[in-house]
Amino acid sequence: YEAPQGPVEEALAAIWSELLGLEQVGRHDNFFELGGHSLLAISMVSRIRTFHHVDLDLTSIFDTRTLANLAKHVAQVRQATRQITYLAQQSPIVRVKDGTSPTTYLFHAMGGGVGGYEKLIASLPQNQTLKAIHAYSPELTRASTIERIAETYAAHMDLAQPDMPFSLVGFSFGGTLATEVARALAARGKQIKALTLIEPPVPTFAPALPFSPHFNQRMTDFARFVSDGRILDFSIDGERPRKSHFHALRRELAELRGEWKTPTNDILQQMFQVFVRHKRAFDTYLGRPYLAPVTAFFAKERKGATLERAIETHWPKAETHWLHANHSTIMDQPFVGFIAQVMIEQASK
């Protein structure tokens, strides 16, 4: 046994330990000899992308095999891309998983990331082709309305996939984006094979309360978002963001999640800017009824006459499933397994 050396090997060792259920991992250990397999390799690639912002091919896990070799490859990828982070790429389309089936697109959260889909990705067939729509380009985050953001995404997707029908999936805020992108693609004459929405916010067809102009409240809203609702108050001094604010937020997040699962201070600052722009756009979003078929999954704790009427108004052709979950746990097992099975059945029709 030889202990991991340096921050990259140590971060990867933490990921391997959690995925494989091991207390320690050596730098010369082989992922597959320790019990790793293709589904765990997919989860590893997703976590490396989400928490360390390095986009690896799944084949690189099979090629490198040992922790030290994988760490060396990660460092080479970072150098080759000049350490471009996931918030500085020019296209909104990110390759998640290559396969032989038609592509399904996953839409980002309000903070711009797609890490919330990790368990859904692992629940889908190995031959499923998946791409994510992220919000990391300055060009994209300048858009001021949901409709303009959606039109930008639709243009990129049309260029990438000009002659094939589209399957779209959106969780939470991503459901709003997926709905509007589907509308924009249809306006371009494109076929929507499937639109799957998971716990989307339901438009009220009336303006929401404006997003607070006060930095303190915006920071609290962001802290609540990035911590999945576990940080309810984040009071700070000052009227504009400073590095010290994000240092403090990162410390709190690291205590909740663990060090290796927590984005860097710079990434948190960039996520905050993306979050603010999206929140402002969403607060002015009125929504229109989407008249094509939709498959929607909602937490049963939200079920009530008001919400059911709103769903019927906004998605009149929705096939609605009510799951015994809440907004966060609906993306965990067993619920995400059920969602994946419904998606598989729809794809076979």
PDB file of all heavy atoms in Angstrom, residues 92 107-108 133-135 139-156 173 177 180-181 184 274 277-282:
ATOM      1  N   PRO A  92     -23.283  25.370 -24.830  1.00  0.00           N
ATOM      2  CA  PRO A  92     -24.048  24.873 -23.676  1.00  0.00           C
ATOM      3  C   PRO A  92     -24.144  23.356 -23.638  1.00  0.00           C
ATOM      4  O   PRO A  92     -24.635  22.802 -22.667  1.00  0.00           O
ATOM      5  CB  PRO A  92     -25.431  25.493 -23.910  1.00  0.00           C
ATOM      6  CG  PRO A  92     -25.545  25.573 -25.391  1.00  0.00           C
ATOM      7  CD  PRO A  92     -24.160  25.913 -25.875  1.00  0.00           C
ATOM      8  N   PHE A 107     -31.257  19.217 -18.669  1.00  0.00           N
ATOM      9  CA  PHE A 107     -31.147  20.675 -18.532  1.00  0.00           C
ATOM     10  C   PHE A 107     -30.731  21.084 -17.126  1.00  0.00           C
ATOM     11  O   PHE A 107     -31.165  20.502 -16.137  1.00  0.00           O
ATOM     12  CB  PHE A 107     -32.477  21.336 -18.917  1.00  0.00           C
ATOM     13  CG  PHE A 107     -32.695  21.347 -20.397  1.00  0.00           C
ATOM     14  CD1 PHE A 107     -33.183  20.230 -21.044  1.00  0.00           C
ATOM     15  CD2 PHE A 107     -32.350  22.452 -21.154  1.00  0.00           C
ATOM     16  CE1 PHE A 107     -33.350  20.213 -22.421  1.00  0.00           C
ATOM     17  CE2 PHE A 107     -32.513  22.456 -22.530  1.00  0.00           C
ATOM     18  CZ  PHE A 107     -33.010  21.328 -23.163  1.00  0.00           C
ATOM     19  N   HIS A 108     -29.924  22.121 -17.079  1.00  0.00           N
ATOM     20  CA  HIS A 108     -29.237  22.538 -15.853  1.00  0.00           C
ATOM     21  C   HIS A 108     -30.157  23.150 -14.808  1.00  0.00           C
ATOM     22  O   HIS A 108     -31.281  23.573 -15.083  1.00  0.00           O
ATOM     23  CB  HIS A 108     -28.125  23.534 -16.204  1.00  0.00           C
ATOM     24  CG  HIS A 108     -28.631  24.833 -16.768  1.00  0.00           C
ATOM     25  ND1 HIS A 108     -29.200  25.814 -15.998  1.00  0.00           N
ATOM     26  CD2 HIS A 108     -28.637  25.306 -18.044  1.00  0.00           C
ATOM     27  CE1 HIS A 108     -29.532  26.845 -16.753  1.00  0.00           C
ATOM     28  NE2 HIS A 108     -29.216  26.564 -18.005  1.00  0.00           N
ATOM     29  N   ILE A 133     -27.204  20.208 -20.966  1.00  0.00           N
ATOM     30  CA  ILE A 133     -27.216  21.625 -21.326  1.00  0.00           C
ATOM     31  C   ILE A 133     -26.851  22.392 -20.071  1.00  0.00           C
ATOM     32  O   ILE A 133     -27.563  22.354 -19.070  1.00  0.00           O
ATOM     33  CB  ILE A 133     -28.599  22.065 -21.834  1.00  0.00           C
ATOM     34  CG1 ILE A 133     -29.028  21.210 -23.026  1.00  0.00           C
ATOM     35  CG2 ILE A 133     -28.588  23.537 -22.198  1.00  0.00           C
ATOM     36  CD1 ILE A 133     -28.149  21.338 -24.239  1.00  0.00           C
ATOM     37  N   HIS A 134     -25.692  23.062 -20.121  1.00  0.00           N
ATOM     38  CA  HIS A 134     -25.234  23.807 -18.948  1.00  0.00           C
ATOM     39  C   HIS A 134     -25.247  25.310 -19.250  1.00  0.00           C
ATOM     40  O   HIS A 134     -25.483  25.730 -20.377  1.00  0.00           O
ATOM     41  CB  HIS A 134     -23.845  23.329 -18.518  1.00  0.00           C
ATOM     42  CG  HIS A 134     -22.770  23.639 -19.526  1.00  0.00           C
ATOM     43  ND1 HIS A 134     -21.452  23.336 -19.321  1.00  0.00           N
ATOM     44  CD2 HIS A 134     -22.815  24.221 -20.748  1.00  0.00           C
ATOM     45  CE1 HIS A 134     -20.732  23.724 -20.360  1.00  0.00           C
ATOM     46  NE2 HIS A 134     -21.530  24.255 -21.234  1.00  0.00           N
ATOM     47  N   ALA A 135     -24.980  26.096 -18.235  1.00  0.00           N
ATOM     48  CA  ALA A 135     -25.067  27.556 -18.379  1.00  0.00           C
ATOM     49  C   ALA A 135     -23.750  28.203 -18.025  1.00  0.00           C
ATOM     50  O   ALA A 135     -23.687  29.095 -17.197  1.00  0.00           O
ATOM     51  CB  ALA A 135     -26.178  28.121 -17.498  1.00  0.00           C
ATOM     52  N   GLU A 139     -21.777  34.131 -22.943  1.00  0.00           N
ATOM     53  CA  GLU A 139     -22.793  34.438 -23.950  1.00  0.00           C
ATOM     54  C   GLU A 139     -24.175  34.014 -23.478  1.00  0.00           C
ATOM     55  O   GLU A 139     -25.168  34.717 -23.667  1.00  0.00           O
ATOM     56  CB  GLU A 139     -22.454  33.700 -25.248  1.00  0.00           C
ATOM     57  CG  GLU A 139     -23.577  33.702 -26.276  1.00  0.00           C
ATOM     58  CD  GLU A 139     -23.475  32.552 -27.264  1.00  0.00           C
ATOM     59  OE1 GLU A 139     -22.417  31.899 -27.318  1.00  0.00           O
ATOM     60  OE2 GLU A 139     -24.465  32.316 -27.971  1.00  0.00           O
ATOM     61  N   LEU A 140     -24.253  32.859 -22.816  1.00  0.00           N
ATOM     62  CA  LEU A 140     -25.537  32.317 -22.410  1.00  0.00           C
ATOM     63  C   LEU A 140     -26.084  33.023 -21.186  1.00  0.00           C
ATOM     64  O   LEU A 140     -27.275  33.256 -21.078  1.00  0.00           O
ATOM     65  CB  LEU A 140     -25.397  30.824 -22.125  1.00  0.00           C
ATOM     66  CG  LEU A 140     -24.871  29.978 -23.298  1.00  0.00           C
ATOM     67  CD1 LEU A 140     -24.648  28.546 -22.852  1.00  0.00           C
ATOM     68  CD2 LEU A 140     -25.837  30.031 -24.464  1.00  0.00           C
ATOM     69  N   THR A 141     -25.216  33.366 -20.244  1.00  0.00           N
ATOM     70  CA  THR A 141     -25.702  33.956 -19.001  1.00  0.00           C
ATOM     71  C   THR A 141     -26.076  35.426 -19.164  1.00  0.00           C
ATOM     72  O   THR A 141     -26.624  36.021 -18.253  1.00  0.00           O
ATOM     73  CB  THR A 141     -24.652  33.822 -17.880  1.00  0.00           C
ATOM     74  OG1 THR A 141     -23.415  34.390 -18.310  1.00  0.00           O
ATOM     75  CG2 THR A 141     -24.431  32.369 -17.540  1.00  0.00           C
ATOM     76  N   ARG A 142     -25.801  36.012 -20.322  1.00  0.00           N
ATOM     77  CA  ARG A 142     -26.234  37.393 -20.550  1.00  0.00           C
ATOM     78  C   ARG A 142     -27.706  37.469 -20.944  1.00  0.00           C
ATOM     79  O   ARG A 142     -28.309  38.536 -20.873  1.00  0.00           O
ATOM     80  CB  ARG A 142     -25.380  38.050 -21.644  1.00  0.00           C
ATOM     81  CG  ARG A 142     -24.021  38.540 -21.160  1.00  0.00           C
ATOM     82  CD  ARG A 142     -23.432  39.517 -22.149  1.00  0.00           C
ATOM     83  NE  ARG A 142     -23.116  38.891 -23.415  1.00  0.00           N
ATOM     84  CZ  ARG A 142     -21.924  38.378 -23.719  1.00  0.00           C
ATOM     85  NH1 ARG A 142     -20.946  38.424 -22.836  1.00  0.00           N
ATOM     86  NH2 ARG A 142     -21.712  37.818 -24.885  1.00  0.00           N
ATOM     87  N   ALA A 143     -28.293  36.350 -21.395  1.00  0.00           N
ATOM     88  CA  ALA A 143     -29.695  36.362 -21.808  1.00  0.00           C
ATOM     89  C   ALA A 143     -30.576  36.784 -20.631  1.00  0.00           C
ATOM     90  O   ALA A 143     -30.396  36.328 -19.508  1.00  0.00           O
ATOM     91  CB  ALA A 143     -30.098  34.979 -22.309  1.00  0.00           C
ATOM     92  N   SER A 144     -31.556  37.652 -20.902  1.00  0.00           N
ATOM     93  CA  SER A 144     -32.296  38.293 -19.816  1.00  0.00           C
ATOM     94  C   SER A 144     -33.638  37.642 -19.517  1.00  0.00           C
ATOM     95  O   SER A 144     -34.250  37.944 -18.499  1.00  0.00           O
ATOM     96  CB  SER A 144     -32.523  39.772 -20.158  1.00  0.00           C
ATOM     97  OG  SER A 144     -33.238  39.886 -21.381  1.00  0.00           O
ATOM     98  N   THR A 145     -34.128  36.772 -20.389  1.00  0.00           N
ATOM     99  CA  THR A 145     -35.417  36.122 -20.155  1.00  0.00           C
ATOM    100  C   THR A 145     -35.284  34.616 -20.379  1.00  0.00           C
ATOM    101  O   THR A 145     -34.380  34.151 -21.076  1.00  0.00           O
ATOM    102  CB  THR A 145     -36.506  36.664 -21.093  1.00  0.00           C
ATOM    103  OG1 THR A 145     -36.191  36.269 -22.444  1.00  0.00           O
ATOM    104  CG2 THR A 145     -36.617  38.179 -21.005  1.00  0.00           C
ATOM    105  N   ILE A 146     -36.206  33.865 -19.802  1.00  0.00           N
ATOM    106  CA  ILE A 146     -36.225  32.420 -20.000  1.00  0.00           C
ATOM    107  C   ILE A 146     -36.381  32.106 -21.488  1.00  0.00           C
ATOM    108  O   ILE A 146     -35.730  31.194 -22.019  1.00  0.00           O
ATOM    109  CB  ILE A 146     -37.370  31.775 -19.196  1.00  0.00           C
ATOM    110  CG1 ILE A 146     -37.146  31.973 -17.685  1.00  0.00           C
ATOM    111  CG2 ILE A 146     -37.508  30.293 -19.542  1.00  0.00           C
ATOM    112  CD1 ILE A 146     -35.941  31.278 -17.131  1.00  0.00           C
ATOM    113  N   GLU A 147     -37.235  32.849 -22.169  1.00  0.00           N
ATOM    114  CA  GLU A 147     -37.466  32.583 -23.587  1.00  0.00           C
ATOM    115  C   GLU A 147     -36.207  32.798 -24.419  1.00  0.00           C
ATOM    116  O   GLU A 147     -35.921  32.019 -25.341  1.00  0.00           O
ATOM    117  CB  GLU A 147     -38.608  33.473 -24.102  1.00  0.00           C
ATOM    118  CG  GLU A 147     -39.976  33.129 -23.550  1.00  0.00           C
ATOM    119  CD  GLU A 147     -40.249  33.711 -22.166  1.00  0.00           C
ATOM    120  OE1 GLU A 147     -39.354  34.399 -21.609  1.00  0.00           O
ATOM    121  OE2 GLU A 147     -41.350  33.499 -21.638  1.00  0.00           O
ATOM    122  N   ARG A 148     -35.431  33.830 -24.112  1.00  0.00           N
ATOM    123  CA  ARG A 148     -34.191  34.071 -24.854  1.00  0.00           C
ATOM    124  C   ARG A 148     -33.140  33.002 -24.555  1.00  0.00           C
ATOM    125  O   ARG A 148     -32.399  32.587 -25.443  1.00  0.00           O
ATOM    126  CB  ARG A 148     -33.655  35.465 -24.525  1.00  0.00           C
ATOM    127  CG  ARG A 148     -34.481  36.595 -25.122  1.00  0.00           C
ATOM    128  CD  ARG A 148     -33.890  37.943 -24.784  1.00  0.00           C
ATOM    129  NE  ARG A 148     -34.686  39.021 -25.343  1.00  0.00           N
ATOM    130  CZ  ARG A 148     -34.446  40.309 -25.161  1.00  0.00           C
ATOM    131  NH1 ARG A 148     -33.403  40.677 -24.402  1.00  0.00           N
ATOM    132  NH2 ARG A 148     -35.222  41.227 -25.690  1.00  0.00           N
ATOM    133  N   ILE A 149     -33.061  32.597 -23.304  1.00  0.00           N
ATOM    134  CA  ILE A 149     -32.148  31.508 -22.950  1.00  0.00           C
ATOM    135  C   ILE A 149     -32.524  30.251 -23.728  1.00  0.00           C
ATOM    136  O   ILE A 149     -31.667  29.575 -24.316  1.00  0.00           O
ATOM    137  CB  ILE A 149     -32.202  31.233 -21.433  1.00  0.00           C
ATOM    138  CG1 ILE A 149     -31.669  32.433 -20.633  1.00  0.00           C
ATOM    139  CG2 ILE A 149     -31.407  29.972 -21.085  1.00  0.00           C
ATOM    140  CD1 ILE A 149     -31.915  32.334 -19.139  1.00  0.00           C
ATOM    141  N   ALA A 150     -33.826  29.946 -23.751  1.00  0.00           N
ATOM    142  CA  ALA A 150     -34.299  28.749 -24.438  1.00  0.00           C
ATOM    143  C   ALA A 150     -34.001  28.807 -25.931  1.00  0.00           C
ATOM    144  O   ALA A 150     -33.608  27.802 -26.536  1.00  0.00           O
ATOM    145  CB  ALA A 150     -35.794  28.569 -24.206  1.00  0.00           C
ATOM    146  N   GLU A 151     -34.181  29.960 -26.538  1.00  0.00           N
ATOM    147  CA  GLU A 151     -33.912  30.088 -27.971  1.00  0.00           C
ATOM    148  C   GLU A 151     -32.426  29.895 -28.269  1.00  0.00           C
ATOM    149  O   GLU A 151     -32.057  29.277 -29.276  1.00  0.00           O
ATOM    150  CB  GLU A 151     -34.379  31.462 -28.473  1.00  0.00           C
ATOM    151  CG  GLU A 151     -34.150  31.699 -29.956  1.00  0.00           C
ATOM    152  CD  GLU A 151     -34.758  30.616 -30.838  1.00  0.00           C
ATOM    153  OE1 GLU A 151     -35.912  30.204 -30.577  1.00  0.00           O
ATOM    154  OE2 GLU A 151     -34.068  30.172 -31.783  1.00  0.00           O
ATOM    155  N   THR A 152     -31.559  30.382 -27.383  1.00  0.00           N
ATOM    156  CA  THR A 152     -30.118  30.172 -27.559  1.00  0.00           C
ATOM    157  C   THR A 152     -29.787  28.684 -27.497  1.00  0.00           C
ATOM    158  O   THR A 152     -29.035  28.158 -28.331  1.00  0.00           O
ATOM    159  CB  THR A 152     -29.331  30.923 -26.471  1.00  0.00           C
ATOM    160  OG1 THR A 152     -29.625  32.322 -26.561  1.00  0.00           O
ATOM    161  CG2 THR A 152     -27.832  30.714 -26.640  1.00  0.00           C
ATOM    162  N   TYR A 153     -30.338  27.987 -26.507  1.00  0.00           N
ATOM    163  CA  TYR A 153     -30.085  26.556 -26.387  1.00  0.00           C
ATOM    164  C   TYR A 153     -30.625  25.798 -27.597  1.00  0.00           C
ATOM    165  O   TYR A 153     -29.971  24.888 -28.114  1.00  0.00           O
ATOM    166  CB  TYR A 153     -30.728  26.010 -25.112  1.00  0.00           C
ATOM    167  CG  TYR A 153     -30.125  26.504 -23.824  1.00  0.00           C
ATOM    168  CD1 TYR A 153     -30.761  26.302 -22.607  1.00  0.00           C
ATOM    169  CD2 TYR A 153     -28.909  27.177 -23.811  1.00  0.00           C
ATOM    170  CE1 TYR A 153     -30.216  26.742 -21.412  1.00  0.00           C
ATOM    171  CE2 TYR A 153     -28.352  27.627 -22.624  1.00  0.00           C
ATOM    172  CZ  TYR A 153     -29.010  27.411 -21.425  1.00  0.00           C
ATOM    173  OH  TYR A 153     -28.464  27.855 -20.245  1.00  0.00           O
ATOM    174  N   ALA A 154     -31.833  26.161 -28.036  1.00  0.00           N
ATOM    175  CA  ALA A 154     -32.443  25.478 -29.178  1.00  0.00           C
ATOM    176  C   ALA A 154     -31.584  25.633 -30.428  1.00  0.00           C
ATOM    177  O   ALA A 154     -31.439  24.691 -31.217  1.00  0.00           O
ATOM    178  CB  ALA A 154     -33.846  26.024 -29.420  1.00  0.00           C
ATOM    179  N   ALA A 155     -31.005  26.812 -30.611  1.00  0.00           N
ATOM    180  CA  ALA A 155     -30.154  27.043 -31.785  1.00  0.00           C
ATOM    181  C   ALA A 155     -28.925  26.139 -31.754  1.00  0.00           C
ATOM    182  O   ALA A 155     -28.544  25.546 -32.776  1.00  0.00           O
ATOM    183  CB  ALA A 155     -29.743  28.508 -31.845  1.00  0.00           C
ATOM    184  N   HIS A 156     -28.296  26.012 -30.583  1.00  0.00           N
ATOM    185  CA  HIS A 156     -27.127  25.136 -30.452  1.00  0.00           C
ATOM    186  C   HIS A 156     -27.514  23.674 -30.676  1.00  0.00           C
ATOM    187  O   HIS A 156     -26.792  22.921 -31.352  1.00  0.00           O
ATOM    188  CB  HIS A 156     -26.499  25.284 -29.073  1.00  0.00           C
ATOM    189  CG  HIS A 156     -25.637  26.504 -28.921  1.00  0.00           C
ATOM    190  ND1 HIS A 156     -24.316  26.535 -29.326  1.00  0.00           N
ATOM    191  CD2 HIS A 156     -25.901  27.733 -28.406  1.00  0.00           C
ATOM    192  CE1 HIS A 156     -23.805  27.727 -29.062  1.00  0.00           C
ATOM    193  NE2 HIS A 156     -24.744  28.469 -28.506  1.00  0.00           N
ATOM    194  N   PHE A 173     -35.817  23.845 -11.905  1.00  0.00           N
ATOM    195  CA  PHE A 173     -35.685  24.948 -12.864  1.00  0.00           C
ATOM    196  C   PHE A 173     -35.385  24.422 -14.265  1.00  0.00           C
ATOM    197  O   PHE A 173     -35.813  25.003 -15.269  1.00  0.00           O
ATOM    198  CB  PHE A 173     -34.576  25.887 -12.394  1.00  0.00           C
ATOM    199  CG  PHE A 173     -34.242  26.997 -13.340  1.00  0.00           C
ATOM    200  CD1 PHE A 173     -35.096  28.072 -13.521  1.00  0.00           C
ATOM    201  CD2 PHE A 173     -33.046  26.978 -14.041  1.00  0.00           C
ATOM    202  CE1 PHE A 173     -34.777  29.112 -14.393  1.00  0.00           C
ATOM    203  CE2 PHE A 173     -32.713  28.012 -14.911  1.00  0.00           C
ATOM    204  CZ  PHE A 173     -33.587  29.084 -15.085  1.00  0.00           C
ATOM    205  N   LEU A 177     -36.819  25.294 -18.285  1.00  0.00           N
ATOM    206  CA  LEU A 177     -35.998  25.450 -19.484  1.00  0.00           C
ATOM    207  C   LEU A 177     -36.358  24.412 -20.536  1.00  0.00           C
ATOM    208  O   LEU A 177     -36.478  24.725 -21.725  1.00  0.00           O
ATOM    209  CB  LEU A 177     -34.519  25.338 -19.122  1.00  0.00           C
ATOM    210  CG  LEU A 177     -33.938  26.451 -18.261  1.00  0.00           C
ATOM    211  CD1 LEU A 177     -32.492  26.128 -17.908  1.00  0.00           C
ATOM    212  CD2 LEU A 177     -34.017  27.790 -18.980  1.00  0.00           C
ATOM    213  N   GLU A 180     -39.545  25.333 -22.400  1.00  0.00           N
ATOM    214  CA  GLU A 180     -39.396  26.428 -23.359  1.00  0.00           C
ATOM    215  C   GLU A 180     -38.486  26.064 -24.523  1.00  0.00           C
ATOM    216  O   GLU A 180     -38.685  26.530 -25.647  1.00  0.00           O
ATOM    217  CB  GLU A 180     -38.894  27.684 -22.639  1.00  0.00           C
ATOM    218  CG  GLU A 180     -39.925  28.309 -21.720  1.00  0.00           C
ATOM    219  CD  GLU A 180     -41.228  28.642 -22.437  1.00  0.00           C
ATOM    220  OE1 GLU A 180     -41.182  29.052 -23.608  1.00  0.00           O
ATOM    221  OE2 GLU A 180     -42.296  28.467 -21.820  1.00  0.00           O
ATOM    222  N   VAL A 181     -37.472  25.224 -24.273  1.00  0.00           N
ATOM    223  CA  VAL A 181     -36.623  24.769 -25.376  1.00  0.00           C
ATOM    224  C   VAL A 181     -37.429  23.878 -26.319  1.00  0.00           C
ATOM    225  O   VAL A 181     -37.292  23.970 -27.552  1.00  0.00           O
ATOM    226  CB  VAL A 181     -35.376  24.027 -24.847  1.00  0.00           C
ATOM    227  CG1 VAL A 181     -34.642  23.334 -25.988  1.00  0.00           C
ATOM    228  CG2 VAL A 181     -34.441  25.003 -24.149  1.00  0.00           C
ATOM    229  N   ALA A 184     -39.347  26.132 -28.441  1.00  0.00           N
ATOM    230  CA  ALA A 184     -38.491  26.797 -29.421  1.00  0.00           C
ATOM    231  C   ALA A 184     -38.073  25.843 -30.540  1.00  0.00           C
ATOM    232  O   ALA A 184     -38.014  26.229 -31.714  1.00  0.00           O
ATOM    233  CB  ALA A 184     -37.258  27.382 -28.735  1.00  0.00           C
ATOM    234  N   VAL A 274     -24.277  33.295 -12.115  1.00  0.00           N
ATOM    235  CA  VAL A 274     -25.227  32.565 -12.958  1.00  0.00           C
ATOM    236  C   VAL A 274     -26.576  32.450 -12.256  1.00  0.00           C
ATOM    237  O   VAL A 274     -27.641  32.669 -12.857  1.00  0.00           O
ATOM    238  CB  VAL A 274     -24.677  31.167 -13.306  1.00  0.00           C
ATOM    239  CG1 VAL A 274     -25.722  30.326 -14.023  1.00  0.00           C
ATOM    240  CG2 VAL A 274     -23.428  31.294 -14.165  1.00  0.00           C
ATOM    241  N   ARG A 277     -28.584  35.755 -12.335  1.00  0.00           N
ATOM    242  CA  ARG A 277     -29.165  36.038 -13.651  1.00  0.00           C
ATOM    243  C   ARG A 277     -30.376  35.147 -13.928  1.00  0.00           C
ATOM    244  O   ARG A 277     -31.398  35.597 -14.439  1.00  0.00           O
ATOM    245  CB  ARG A 277     -28.107  35.860 -14.735  1.00  0.00           C
ATOM    246  CG  ARG A 277     -27.012  36.919 -14.700  1.00  0.00           C
ATOM    247  CD  ARG A 277     -26.110  36.798 -15.919  1.00  0.00           C
ATOM    248  NE  ARG A 277     -25.081  37.828 -15.905  1.00  0.00           N
ATOM    249  CZ  ARG A 277     -23.815  37.617 -15.605  1.00  0.00           C
ATOM    250  NH1 ARG A 277     -23.419  36.411 -15.294  1.00  0.00           N
ATOM    251  NH2 ARG A 277     -22.939  38.603 -15.616  1.00  0.00           N
ATOM    252  N   HIS A 278     -30.262  33.875 -13.585  1.00  0.00           N
ATOM    253  CA  HIS A 278     -31.377  32.960 -13.825  1.00  0.00           C
ATOM    254  C   HIS A 278     -32.566  33.267 -12.921  1.00  0.00           C
ATOM    255  O   HIS A 278     -33.722  33.165 -13.349  1.00  0.00           O
ATOM    256  CB  HIS A 278     -30.931  31.517 -13.608  1.00  0.00           C
ATOM    257  CG  HIS A 278     -30.082  30.990 -14.717  1.00  0.00           C
ATOM    258  ND1 HIS A 278     -29.151  29.998 -14.545  1.00  0.00           N
ATOM    259  CD2 HIS A 278     -30.023  31.318 -16.026  1.00  0.00           C
ATOM    260  CE1 HIS A 278     -28.560  29.735 -15.693  1.00  0.00           C
ATOM    261  NE2 HIS A 278     -29.068  30.532 -16.601  1.00  0.00           N
ATOM    262  N   LYS A 279     -32.293  33.631 -11.683  1.00  0.00           N
ATOM    263  CA  LYS A 279     -33.393  33.956 -10.755  1.00  0.00           C
ATOM    264  C   LYS A 279     -34.147  35.178 -11.240  1.00  0.00           C
ATOM    265  O   LYS A 279     -35.387  35.217 -11.203  1.00  0.00           O
ATOM    266  CB  LYS A 279     -32.827  34.183  -9.356  1.00  0.00           C
ATOM    267  CG  LYS A 279     -33.897  34.376  -8.279  1.00  0.00           C
ATOM    268  CD  LYS A 279     -34.672  33.096  -8.049  1.00  0.00           C
ATOM    269  CE  LYS A 279     -35.562  33.189  -6.796  1.00  0.00           C
ATOM    270  NZ  LYS A 279     -36.644  34.165  -6.907  1.00  0.00           N
ATOM    271  N   ARG A 280     -33.426  36.165 -11.723  1.00  0.00           N
ATOM    272  CA  ARG A 280     -34.097  37.355 -12.257  1.00  0.00           C
ATOM    273  C   ARG A 280     -34.943  37.013 -13.480  1.00  0.00           C
ATOM    274  O   ARG A 280     -36.065  37.494 -13.638  1.00  0.00           O
ATOM    275  CB  ARG A 280     -33.055  38.421 -12.616  1.00  0.00           C
ATOM    276  CG  ARG A 280     -32.480  39.146 -11.410  1.00  0.00           C
ATOM    277  CD  ARG A 280     -31.361  40.069 -11.829  1.00  0.00           C
ATOM    278  NE  ARG A 280     -30.879  40.859 -10.706  1.00  0.00           N
ATOM    279  CZ  ARG A 280     -29.697  41.442 -10.675  1.00  0.00           C
ATOM    280  NH1 ARG A 280     -28.859  41.315 -11.704  1.00  0.00           N
ATOM    281  NH2 ARG A 280     -29.323  42.152  -9.630  1.00  0.00           N
ATOM    282  N   ALA A 281     -34.387  36.166 -14.358  1.00  0.00           N
ATOM    283  CA  ALA A 281     -35.132  35.763 -15.551  1.00  0.00           C
ATOM    284  C   ALA A 281     -36.377  34.978 -15.167  1.00  0.00           C
ATOM    285  O   ALA A 281     -37.464  35.183 -15.737  1.00  0.00           O
ATOM    286  CB  ALA A 281     -34.240  34.935 -16.473  1.00  0.00           C
ATOM    287  N   PHE A 282     -36.234  34.083 -14.185  1.00  0.00           N
ATOM    288  CA  PHE A 282     -37.378  33.266 -13.788  1.00  0.00           C
ATOM    289  C   PHE A 282     -38.473  34.113 -13.140  1.00  0.00           C
ATOM    290  O   PHE A 282     -39.668  33.852 -13.321  1.00  0.00           O
ATOM    291  CB  PHE A 282     -36.929  32.168 -12.835  1.00  0.00           C
ATOM    292  CG  PHE A 282     -38.039  31.240 -12.436  1.00  0.00           C
ATOM    293  CD1 PHE A 282     -38.537  30.305 -13.330  1.00  0.00           C
ATOM    294  CD2 PHE A 282     -38.592  31.309 -11.166  1.00  0.00           C
ATOM    295  CE1 PHE A 282     -39.571  29.459 -12.975  1.00  0.00           C
ATOM    296  CE2 PHE A 282     -39.626  30.467 -10.803  1.00  0.00           C
ATOM    297  CZ  PHE A 282     -40.119  29.532 -11.702  1.00  0.00           C
TER     298      PHE A 282
END
